Amino acid sequence: MTASRVLVLNSGSSSVKYQLLDMHDSSKLAVGLVERIGEETSRLVHTPLSGAGAEKRERTGRIADHDAALKAVAEELAHDGLGLDSPELAAIGHRVVHGGLRFSEPTVITDEVLAEVERLVPVAPLHNPANITGIRTAQALRPDLPQVAVFDTAFHTTMPESAARYAIDVETADVHRIRRYGFHGTSHAYVSRRTAALLGKDPSEVNVIVLHLGNGASASAVAGGRCVDTSMGLTPLEGLVMGTRSGDIDPAVTFHLKRVAGMSADEIDELLNKRSGLVGLCGDNDMREIRRRIDEGDERARLAFDIYIHRLKKYIGAYYAVLGRVDAIAFTAGVGENAAPVREAAVAGLEELGLAVDADLNAIRSDEPRIISPNYARVAVAVVPTDEELEIARQTFALVGAISEAPHDAAHA
């Protein structure tokens, strides 16, 4: 296959993030973001990363919908000689948040695949509709080009039933598809593999606890390259304390709020997803601001940080028990990669588990994967920058290449 470029699209409800990559060498040719789609204050920021004199460009003004957004993206790419009509474009890869149990691998998008993604909207009401809109718009722009869905949930489909099932009536759970699906799977897959490489080992030889700490946050236990447990569940609400989400909470809190506070299901949903977590505890969901407030003696910020770390430590301990043997703990995403105090606090007091952080190594800022634990530590503590777009591009390109290289009769079997 001569075409080697992949356009990666991550379509949100009012935004589109994109990257164009050349899979010959995994280089990024352009990156960008369209935000506030449908508003008068829409903005497109486009950064070409190849060619002489490449400079970031920005356009503002109303971008009515996703169709207009992708057309604007196509114009920016064409300006750099990277247009969507290029014969070098092999495929478009789409991030799709929820694939349920059916999709455990990257999948070429067909009408049947789209219908199944639509059927999953009730368990991913904030994400799947936007993903579907992005797919349909891209299909209209390039109907001849392979479109591939890479699912956030796919990496977690290897969880055993003992980890994936909730302890509720089985028939009710099955009818309504209630189980732990997990999210951030593309990141967990990428980071667990990079961590194994950092240790000089094959992923099949390594047990890793991955801590994806951003505004959304999740942990996973990865045994020999396969996810065996993860903190997010039916939705991305379960698990760690996050920027605006509560994470784990007694389910009866929802009944209490309905009966005592008279709150509706929608109001409770908004509370737990948008007005909880760090922002609910102290009014800020930016870890940098929280640390600044702590340094100034702010007790609410200190308590929010302590609750965040307490939950994180609980999951480290739990997944250590699940795995039995841990070779590495990997911190990733915005907070995990940049907040040294979070990494230090998360493993403090866990020396008996073989965990420690070297203060000097932990203080170094770098875009490269690195180990921050001292040589004597039994378990490596690593910082591994995630790259979900590269992972999506790799999976997309591998799938399209495998299909194009398959014998004609096998491809149509």
Side-chain angles (χ1 to χ4, degrees), residues 164-212:
R165 280 210 176 256
Y166 292 110
I168 66 172
D169 173 67
V170 171
E171 290 185 5
T172 301
D174 288 348
V175 167
H176 299 288
R177 305 185 185 199
I178 299 172
R179 61 186 290 116
R180 176 173 287 107
Y181 293 100
F183 300 88
H184 295 146
T186 307
S187 177
H188 286 281
Y190 177 85
V191 171
S192 60
R193 285 203 313 274
R194 287 301 302 267
T195 303
L198 192 61
L199 300 180
K201 296 182 178 181
D202 188 90
S204 64
E205 302 174 314
V206 176
N207 288 357
V208 185
I209 297 173
V210 178
L211 303 171
H212 178 109

Coordinates of all heavy atoms in Angstrom, one line a residue, residues 164-212:
A164 N -15.4 -7.7 35.5 CA -16.3 -6.8 34.7 C -17.8 -6.8 35.2 O -18.5 -5.8 34.9 CB -16.3 -7.4 33.3
R165 N -18.2 -7.8 35.9 CA -19.6 -7.9 36.3 C -19.8 -7.1 37.6 O -19.0 -7.2 38.5 CB -20.1 -9.3 36.4 CG -20.4 -9.9 35.1 CD -21.5 -11.0 35.3 NE -22.0 -11.5 34.0 CZ -23.1 -11.2 33.4 NH1 -23.9 -10.3 34.0 NH2 -23.4 -11.8 32.2
Y166 N -21.0 -6.4 37.7 CA -21.4 -5.9 39.0 C -22.3 -7.0 39.7 O -22.9 -7.8 39.0 CB -22.3 -4.7 38.7 CG -21.5 -3.5 38.2 CD1 -21.7 -3.0 36.9 CD2 -20.6 -2.8 39.0 CE1 -21.0 -1.9 36.4 CE2 -19.9 -1.7 38.5 CZ -20.1 -1.3 37.2 OH -19.5 -0.2 36.7
A167 N -22.3 -6.9 41.0 CA -23.1 -7.9 41.8 C -24.5 -7.5 41.9 O -25.1 -7.2 43.0 CB -22.4 -8.1 43.1
I168 N -25.2 -7.5 40.7 CA -26.6 -7.2 40.7 C -27.3 -8.4 39.9 O -26.6 -9.2 39.3 CB -27.0 -5.9 40.0 CG1 -26.6 -5.9 38.5 CG2 -26.3 -4.7 40.7 CD1 -27.1 -4.7 37.8
D169 N -28.6 -8.4 39.9 CA -29.4 -9.5 39.2 C -28.8 -9.7 37.8 O -28.8 -8.7 37.0 CB -30.8 -9.2 39.2 CG -31.6 -10.1 38.4 OD1 -31.7 -11.3 38.8 OD2 -32.1 -9.7 37.3
V170 N -28.5 -10.9 37.5 CA -27.8 -11.2 36.2 C -28.7 -10.8 35.0 O -28.3 -10.2 34.0 CB -27.3 -12.6 36.1 CG1 -26.9 -13.0 34.7 CG2 -26.2 -12.9 37.1
E171 N -30.0 -11.2 35.1 CA -30.9 -11.0 34.0 C -31.1 -9.5 33.7 O -31.1 -9.0 32.6 CB -32.2 -11.7 34.2 CG -32.2 -13.2 34.2 CD -33.5 -13.8 34.3 OE1 -34.5 -13.1 34.4 OE2 -33.6 -15.0 34.4
T172 N -31.2 -8.7 34.8 CA -31.4 -7.3 34.7 C -30.1 -6.7 34.0 O -30.2 -5.8 33.1 CB -31.6 -6.6 36.0 OG1 -32.8 -7.2 36.6 CG2 -31.8 -5.1 35.9
A173 N -29.0 -7.1 34.5 CA -27.7 -6.6 34.0 C -27.6 -6.9 32.5 O -27.2 -6.1 31.7 CB -26.5 -7.2 34.8
D174 N -27.9 -8.1 32.1 CA -27.8 -8.5 30.7 C -28.7 -7.8 29.8 O -28.3 -7.4 28.7 CB -28.0 -10.1 30.6 CG -26.8 -10.8 31.1 OD1 -25.7 -10.2 31.4 OD2 -26.9 -12.1 31.3
V175 N -30.0 -7.7 30.2 CA -31.0 -7.0 29.4 C -30.6 -5.5 29.1 O -30.7 -5.0 28.0 CB -32.4 -7.0 30.0 CG1 -33.3 -6.1 29.3 CG2 -32.9 -8.5 30.0
H176 N -30.0 -4.9 30.1 CA -29.7 -3.4 30.0 C -28.2 -3.2 29.8 O -27.8 -2.0 30.0 CB -30.2 -2.7 31.3 CG -31.7 -2.8 31.4 ND1 -32.6 -2.2 30.6 CD2 -32.5 -3.5 32.3 CE1 -33.8 -2.5 30.9 NE2 -33.8 -3.3 32.0
R177 N -27.4 -4.2 29.5 CA -26.0 -4.1 29.3 C -25.2 -3.4 30.4 O -24.3 -2.6 30.1 CB -25.8 -3.3 27.9 CG -26.5 -3.9 26.7 CD -26.1 -3.1 25.5 NE -26.9 -3.6 24.3 CZ -26.5 -3.3 23.1 NH1 -25.4 -2.7 22.8 NH2 -27.3 -3.7 22.1
I178 N -25.6 -3.8 31.6 CA -24.9 -3.2 32.7 C -23.7 -4.0 33.2 O -23.8 -5.1 33.6 CB -25.9 -3.0 33.9 CG1 -27.1 -2.1 33.5 CG2 -25.2 -2.4 35.1 CD1 -28.2 -2.1 34.5
R179 N -22.5 -3.4 33.0 CA -21.3 -4.1 33.4 C -20.2 -3.0 33.4 O -20.4 -1.9 32.9 CB -20.9 -5.3 32.5 CG -20.7 -4.8 31.0 CD -20.5 -6.0 30.1 NE -19.3 -6.7 30.3 CZ -19.2 -8.0 30.7 NH1 -20.2 -8.7 30.9 NH2 -18.0 -8.5 30.8
R180 N -19.0 -3.4 33.8 CA -17.9 -2.5 33.7 C -17.2 -2.6 32.3 O -16.8 -3.7 31.9 CB -16.8 -2.8 34.8 CG -15.6 -1.9 34.8 CD -14.7 -2.2 35.9 NE -15.2 -1.6 37.1 CZ -15.7 -2.3 38.1 NH1 -15.8 -3.6 38.1 NH2 -16.2 -1.6 39.2
Y181 N -17.2 -1.5 31.6 CA -16.6 -1.5 30.3 C -15.2 -0.8 30.3 O -14.3 -1.3 29.6 CB -17.5 -0.7 29.3 CG -18.8 -1.3 29.0 CD1 -20.0 -0.9 29.6 CD2 -18.9 -2.4 28.1 CE1 -21.2 -1.5 29.3 CE2 -20.1 -3.0 27.8 CZ -21.3 -2.6 28.4 OH -22.5 -3.2 28.1
G182 N -15.1 0.2 31.1 CA -13.8 0.9 31.2 C -13.6 1.9 30.0 O -14.2 1.7 28.9
F183 N -12.8 2.9 30.2 CA -12.5 3.9 29.2 C -11.0 4.3 29.2 O -10.2 3.7 29.9 CB -13.4 5.1 29.4 CG -14.9 4.8 29.3 CD1 -15.5 4.3 30.5 CD2 -15.6 4.8 28.1 CE1 -16.9 4.0 30.4 CE2 -16.9 4.4 28.1 CZ -17.6 4.0 29.2
H184 N -10.7 5.2 28.3 CA -9.2 5.6 28.1 C -8.4 4.4 27.7 O -7.2 4.4 27.8 CB -8.6 6.1 29.4 CG -9.2 7.4 29.9 ND1 -9.3 7.7 31.3 CD2 -9.7 8.5 29.3 CE1 -9.9 8.9 31.4 NE2 -10.1 9.4 30.2
G185 N -9.1 3.4 27.1 CA -8.4 2.2 26.7 C -7.2 2.4 25.7 O -6.2 1.7 25.8
T186 N -7.4 3.3 24.8 CA -6.3 3.6 23.8 C -5.1 4.0 24.5 O -4.0 3.6 24.2 CB -6.8 4.6 22.8 OG1 -8.1 4.2 22.2 CG2 -5.8 4.8 21.6
S187 N -5.3 4.9 25.5 CA -4.1 5.4 26.3 C -3.5 4.3 27.1 O -2.3 4.1 27.2 CB -4.6 6.5 27.2 OG -3.5 7.0 28.0
H188 N -4.3 3.5 27.8 CA -3.8 2.4 28.6 C -3.0 1.4 27.8 O -2.0 0.9 28.2 CB -5.0 1.7 29.4 CG -5.5 2.6 30.5 ND1 -4.9 2.6 31.7 CD2 -6.6 3.3 30.6 CE1 -5.6 3.4 32.5 NE2 -6.6 3.9 31.9
A189 N -3.5 1.1 26.6 CA -2.8 0.2 25.7 C -1.5 0.7 25.3 O -0.4 0.0 25.4 CB -3.7 -0.1 24.5
Y190 N -1.4 2.0 24.9 CA -0.2 2.6 24.4 C 0.8 2.7 25.5 O 2.0 2.3 25.4 CB -0.5 4.0 23.9 CG 0.7 4.8 23.4 CD1 1.2 4.7 22.2 CD2 1.3 5.7 24.3 CE1 2.3 5.4 21.8 CE2 2.4 6.5 23.9 CZ 2.9 6.3 22.7 OH 4.0 7.0 22.3
V191 N 0.4 3.2 26.7 CA 1.3 3.4 27.8 C 1.8 2.1 28.4 O 3.0 2.0 28.7 CB 0.6 4.3 28.9 CG1 1.4 4.3 30.2 CG2 0.3 5.7 28.4
S192 N 1.0 1.1 28.5 CA 1.5 -0.2 29.0 C 2.5 -0.8 28.1 O 3.5 -1.3 28.6 CB 0.3 -1.2 29.2 OG -0.4 -1.4 28.0
R193 N 2.4 -0.6 26.8 CA 3.4 -1.1 25.9 C 4.7 -0.3 25.9 O 5.8 -0.9 25.9 CB 2.9 -1.1 24.4 CG 1.9 -2.3 24.1 CD 1.9 -2.5 22.6 NE 1.7 -1.3 21.8 CZ 0.6 -0.7 21.5 NH1 -0.5 -1.2 22.0 NH2 0.6 0.4 20.8
R194 N 4.5 1.0 26.0 CA 5.7 1.9 26.1 C 6.5 1.6 27.4 O 7.7 1.7 27.5 CB 5.3 3.4 26.0 CG 4.9 3.8 24.6 CD 6.0 3.6 23.6 NE 7.3 4.3 23.9 CZ 7.6 5.5 23.5 NH1 6.7 6.2 22.7 NH2 8.7 6.1 23.8
T195 N 5.7 1.3 28.5 CA 6.4 1.0 29.8 C 7.2 -0.2 29.7 O 8.3 -0.3 30.2 CB 5.3 0.9 30.9 OG1 4.6 2.1 30.9 CG2 6.0 0.7 32.2
A196 N 6.6 -1.3 29.0 CA 7.4 -2.5 28.9 C 8.7 -2.2 28.1 O 9.7 -2.7 28.4 CB 6.5 -3.5 28.1
A197 N 8.6 -1.4 27.0 CA 9.7 -1.1 26.2 C 10.8 -0.3 27.0 O 12.0 -0.6 26.9 CB 9.3 -0.3 25.0
L198 N 10.3 0.5 27.9 CA 11.2 1.3 28.8 C 12.0 0.3 29.7 O 13.2 0.6 30.0 CB 10.4 2.3 29.6 CG 11.1 3.4 30.4 CD1 11.9 4.3 29.5 CD2 10.1 4.2 31.2
L199 N 11.4 -0.8 30.1 CA 12.0 -1.8 30.9 C 12.9 -2.8 30.1 O 13.5 -3.6 30.6 CB 11.0 -2.5 31.7 CG 10.1 -1.7 32.7 CD1 9.2 -2.6 33.4 CD2 11.0 -0.9 33.7
G200 N 12.8 -2.6 28.7 CA 13.5 -3.5 27.9 C 12.9 -4.9 27.8 O 13.6 -5.9 27.5
K201 N 11.6 -5.0 27.9 CA 10.9 -6.3 27.9 C 9.8 -6.3 27.0 O 9.3 -5.2 26.5 CB 10.4 -6.6 29.3 CG 11.6 -6.8 30.4 CD 11.0 -7.2 31.7 CE 12.1 -7.4 32.7 NZ 11.6 -7.8 34.0
D202 N 9.3 -7.4 26.6 CA 8.1 -7.6 25.8 C 6.9 -7.4 26.7 O 6.9 -7.7 27.9 CB 8.1 -9.0 25.2 CG 6.9 -9.2 24.2 OD1 7.1 -8.9 23.0 OD2 5.8 -9.6 24.7
P203 N 5.8 -6.8 26.2 CA 4.6 -6.5 27.0 C 4.1 -7.8 27.7 O 3.5 -7.8 28.8 CB 3.6 -6.0 26.0 CG 4.4 -5.3 25.0 CD 5.7 -6.2 24.8
S204 N 4.3 -9.0 27.0 CA 3.8 -10.2 27.6 C 4.5 -10.6 28.9 O 4.1 -11.5 29.6 CB 3.9 -11.4 26.6 OG 5.3 -11.6 26.3
E205 N 5.7 -10.0 29.2 CA 6.5 -10.3 30.3 C 6.3 -9.4 31.5 O 6.8 -9.6 32.6 CB 8.0 -10.3 29.9 CG 8.4 -11.2 28.8 CD 9.8 -11.0 28.4 OE1 10.2 -9.8 28.2 OE2 10.5 -12.0 28.2
V206 N 5.4 -8.4 31.3 CA 5.4 -7.3 32.3 C 4.0 -7.1 32.8 O 3.0 -7.1 32.1 CB 5.9 -5.9 31.6 CG1 5.7 -4.8 32.6 CG2 7.3 -6.1 31.1
N207 N 3.9 -6.9 34.2 CA 2.7 -6.4 34.8 C 2.8 -5.0 35.2 O 3.7 -4.6 35.9 CB 2.4 -7.3 36.1 CG 2.0 -8.7 35.8 OD1 1.9 -9.1 34.6 ND2 1.8 -9.5 36.8
V208 N 1.8 -4.2 34.7 CA 1.9 -2.7 34.9 C 0.6 -2.2 35.4 O -0.5 -2.6 35.0 CB 2.1 -2.0 33.5 CG1 2.3 -0.5 33.7 CG2 3.4 -2.6 32.8
I209 N 0.7 -1.2 36.4 CA -0.5 -0.4 36.8 C -0.3 0.9 36.1 O 0.6 1.6 36.2 CB -0.5 -0.2 38.3 CG1 -0.7 -1.5 39.0 CG2 -1.6 0.7 38.7 CD1 -0.5 -1.4 40.6
V210 N -1.3 1.2 35.2 CA -1.3 2.5 34.5 C -2.3 3.4 35.1 O -3.4 3.1 35.4 CB -1.7 2.2 33.0 CG1 -1.7 3.6 32.2 CG2 -0.8 1.3 32.3
L211 N -1.8 4.6 35.4 CA -2.6 5.7 36.0 C -2.7 6.9 35.0 O -1.8 7.6 34.8 CB -1.9 6.2 37.3 CG -1.7 5.1 38.4 CD1 -0.8 5.6 39.5 CD2 -3.0 4.5 38.9
H212 N -3.8 6.9 34.3 CA -4.1 8.0 33.4 C -4.8 9.1 34.1 O -6.0 9.0 34.5 CB -5.0 7.4 32.3 CG -5.4 8.4 31.2 ND1 -5.0 8.4 30.0 CD2 -6.3 9.5 31.3 CE1 -5.5 9.5 29.3 NE2 -6.3 10.1 30.1

